[in-house]
Amino acid sequence: MPSPSRTQVGIIGAGPAGLLLARLLKVHGVESVILEARSRDYVEGRVRAGVLEQGTVSLLEEAGVADRLHREGLIHDGVAIGHSGHPIRIDFKGLTGKHVVVYGQTEVTRDLIAARLAGDGAIVWEAADVVLHGITDDRPRLSWQAGGEHHELACDFIAGCDGFHGVSRQSIPPGALTTYERVYPFGWLGILADVPPCSHELIYARHPRGFALASMRSPTRSRYYVQCAVEENLDAWPDARIWEELKLRLGPAAAAHITTGPSIEKSVAPLRSFVAAPMRHGNLFLAGDAAHIVPPTGAKGLNLAASDVHYLCRALVAFYRTGSRDQLDRYSDTALARVWKAERFSWWMTTMLHRLHDEESFEAQMQRAELDYLASSRAAQTVLAENYVGLPF
Ligand code: FAS
Ligand code: PHB
């Protein structure tokens, strides 16, 4: 099928941000084309986030792609967090009246791709060497290589949804952006295994050997993480070592319920906090990881991509319906106001739960005090709960 040469919104990236933006624009009558560097199989095979805020679920409902999510997603009214073996339960429902839904980003991506391919418009897979042209004049366009040919797409706006390593943010002149970054001196080693979860809710554990997280994808599929070195060698972590480390760090009560089994996915992710501001340059608008990164401790990455998309879609639809650029002009400030609050929460959760220095350091004492205060204060638990379930859009 020949690649389109003209559309209203050119979207770079077929991750959650790009796919959800394309779908919501279509629902509101705005056409788009998605350019994706990877293959469909690669994109659908990525294992990443697992927790959806209710606001994200509502957006997926608005996009008409929430049926399987409602059938298969797991509603979680709380989470366990604390010193290894002595977690407390944060009662989301009792403290905020809200819950979160456990449903893998992999599944969200598959649902959005299925909707797109059912007639919404083009996804150009394996689009190589995407270049942004004319982003500060009134005729932006995209070019790329595919099938050994050069292609071009004229559009009114470009949405940079191409993640942290994408081309969009790199296409903005350095002097036009301010970046803020904190790189953490550790990473997460994650495994996926077709074994039942050790608990019906997530467990975040601080342990002198390092942080551990027990999560899940379904009643028969578990997702676990252990804090590791940034440049961890996966070969040094056979499954048996991971299971033993998880049992140690999660504590004896959780360990007694851990079912071990072969990992079906194993990977190391670096942790960083990052924001690029403003999230706009001319007719280029950044959304999701292209503009910001959070450490996954607060389960915010995917959910921030969703709120960016909510604001950007609303602004684009307003332009096409009324000609007003007012919401487009306010997009970056509106999105960043929510981004920074999620950056704070993710940084706070990360610095509270991970082994940072030796256990007799001032920082380690601060971590203990944070967790002890959390255990003793309804107010502290409410603060954690309202950030975890998601602040208002
Ligand atoms: P994405 O990175 O998902 O998607 C960007 C897309 O753009 C990709 O498909 C990419 O192939 C494409 N692209 C890149 N460059 C391009 C180019 N030049 N041309 C065309 N296409 C291009 N969040 C959590 O909440 N919990 C987690 O546990 C968690 N784990 C993570 C693990 C890893 C390894 C990573 C990288 C991220 C993780 N995240 C997690 C964060 C993650 O969920 C992101 O927040 C989410 O994927 C953001 O979605 P997008 O903004 O769409 O970016
Ligand atoms: C996950 O299930 O992948 C997950 C859950 C909670 C987090 C991070 C990752 O904070």
Side-chain angles (χ1 to χ4, degrees):
M1 183 172 83
S3 295
S5 61
R6 175 86 183 84
T7 191
Q8 291 172 299
V9 182
I11 298 173
I12 308 175
L19 289 164
L20 182 56
L21 177 62
R23 181 70 185 133
L24 286 171
L25 287 173
K26 182 70 177 182
V27 165
H28 295 287
V30 178
E31 295 302 324
S32 65
V33 170
I34 302 174
L35 303 183
E36 166 56 48
R38 299 285 190 158
S39 69
R40 176 178 178 181
D41 285 349
Y42 182 90
V43 171
E44 291 190 334
R46 271 193 304 235
V47 178
R48 285 187 177 168
V51 174
L52 304 183
E53 298 170 0
Q54 277 185 237
T56 301
V57 172
S58 299
L59 271 183
L60 293 168
E61 289 168 345
E62 180 188 342
V65 295
D67 291 350
R68 186 160 74 102
L69 182 160
H70 285 309
R71 288 198 307 273
E72 299 177 12
L74 304 172
I75 290 179
H76 280 210
D77 290 333
V79 70
I81 181 169
H83 296 293
S84 169
H86 307 286
I88 63 159
R89 182 171 186 270
I90 304 293
D91 177 8
F92 298 149
K93 201 73 178 173
L95 293 165
T96 70
K98 292 184 179 178
H99 60 258
V100 294
V101 176
V102 171
Y103 186 71
Q105 174 174 323
T106 307
E107 308 318 316
V108 172
T109 302
R110 287 175 179 164
D111 295 340
L112 284 164
I113 289 172
R116 181 73 177 175
L117 298 182
D120 274 7
I123 300 180
V124 179
W125 301 106
E126 298 180 272
D129 305 324
V130 172
V131 178
L132 293 76
H133 307 271
I135 53 182
T136 53
D137 63 34
D138 61 358
R139 298 180 56 75
R141 60 193 168 83
L142 295 167
S143 65
W144 70 94
Q145 305 298 322
E149 293 182 3
H150 178 81
H151 300 268
E152 296 225 350
L153 177 77
C155 44
D156 301 326
F157 303 101
I158 297 172
C161 301
D162 46 350
F164 184 67
H165 301 290
V167 66
S168 299
R169 192 179 69 250
Q170 318 296 344
S171 301
I172 298 175
L177 274 184
T178 303
T179 58
Y180 308 82
E181 186 165 37
R182 162 72 52 90
V183 178
Y184 299 90
F186 42 77
W188 277 19
L189 188 159
I191 63 163
L192 199 63
D194 280 331
V195 295
C198 67
S199 166
H200 69 294
E201 292 177 333
L202 274 59
I203 304 172
Y204 290 77
R206 183 193 181 283
H207 188 280
R209 295 170 67 92
F211 167 76
L213 168 61
S215 184
M216 63 196 76
R217 290 293 178 270
S218 76
T220 60
R221 177 166 285 190
S222 296
R223 178 70 166 162
Y224 287 100
Y225 298 93
V226 290
Q227 175 184 346
C228 65
V230 179
E231 299 300 330
E232 194 62 69
N233 175 5
L234 272 182
D235 295 340
W237 286 86
D239 288 359
R241 180 185 174 193
I242 298 174
W243 291 120
E244 280 318 301
E245 199 63 32
L246 280 165
K247 289 177 180 176
L248 272 174
R249 296 187 189 186
L250 291 169
H257 294 91
I258 289 181
T259 306
T260 65
S263 59
I264 57 175
E265 192 270 354
K266 193 187 295 186
S267 57
V268 173
L271 269 64
R272 80 175 73 238
S273 299
F274 175 86
V275 176
M279 292 169 56
R280 179 227 184 139
H281 186 69
N283 287 311
L284 167 62
F285 294 85
L286 303 179
D289 278 17
H292 43 71
I293 295 286
V294 285
T297 328
K300 291 295 152 221
L302 173 56
N303 294 296
L304 273 183
S307 51
D308 290 351
V309 163
H310 165 71
Y311 300 130
L312 183 53
C313 178
R314 188 178 64 179
L316 288 166
V317 169
F319 168 76
Y320 283 110
R321 285 189 179 155
T322 70
S324 166
R325 290 178 178 267
D326 177 49
Q327 290 190 47
L328 286 170
D329 293 341
R330 287 189 284 116
Y331 164 70
S332 179
D333 287 346
T334 304
L336 284 171
R338 190 171 194 272
V339 164
W340 278 116
K341 296 187 188 85
E343 290 282 347
R344 181 208 69 81
F345 176 67
S346 304
W347 161 82
W348 174 71
M349 285 281 279
T350 302
T351 49
M352 176 170 68
L353 288 165
H354 288 75
R355 181 186 169 104
L356 302 174
H357 301 276
D358 69 74
E359 282 298 276
E360 290 317 310
S361 64
F362 176 80
E363 288 77 8
Q365 293 295 11
M366 288 299 99
Q367 291 177 318
R368 294 187 190 96
E370 282 279 8
L371 288 172
D372 294 347
Y373 175 55
L374 188 64
S376 64
S377 163
R378 180 183 172 85
Q381 292 169 27
T382 304
V383 167
L384 191 153
E386 70 176 12
N387 280 276
Y388 197 99
V389 300
L391 298 178
F393 280 13

